[in-house]
Amino acid sequence: MPDPRVSAPACGFAGPVKRSITIAGHQTSISLEPVFWRALEAAAAAQALPLSALVAEIDVARIAAADPPNLASAIRTWLFAAAIDPARPACHAAADDRELKR
């Protein structure tokens, strides 16, 4: 019997949707689930930035990481961090990350 505490999100489950976006003058494709596209669009609007500008900022932070993930993973991580701590969306504890990799 399914756990009543766990249910599908109101928007349902959906696989990734690929979109093309221009970053630093070149076009790239990013695959994200629709819920992440909506969250990314909302975050860009909240910061009064075009979507491509926010993605470019996330990409710069991603590239500066010691072990850069792919861009889609970086976007998902940034969005999740922003949801947890809106004041510091790009921050997360390196020690916590090392624990997860074990």
Side-chain angles (χ1 to χ4, degrees):
M1 187 155 99
D3 187 335
R5 295 172 294 172
V6 178
S7 61
C11 59
F13 292 108
V17 174
K18 187 178 283 193
R19 290 192 193 176
S20 293
I21 193 164
T22 301
I23 303 173
H26 66 277
Q27 202 162 7
T28 190
S29 293
I30 303 169
S31 293
L32 294 172
E33 294 76 4
V35 68
F36 286 107
W37 281 118
R38 288 191 297 276
L40 188 60
E41 290 163 352
Q47 295 188 28
L49 290 172
L51 185 67
S52 59
L54 178 57
V55 171
E57 288 185 16
I58 294 169
D59 192 38
V60 167
R62 173 189 76 91
I63 292 167
D67 186 16
N70 67 54
L71 182 54
S73 293
I75 291 168
R76 287 185 196 96
T77 301
W78 187 89
L79 287 167
F80 188 76
I84 291 172
D85 186 358
R88 299 180 58 152
C91 288
H92 53 76
D96 292 343
D97 290 346
R98 285 191 296 274
E99 283 297 316
L100 291 173
K101 288 182 179 180
R102 287 185 179 176

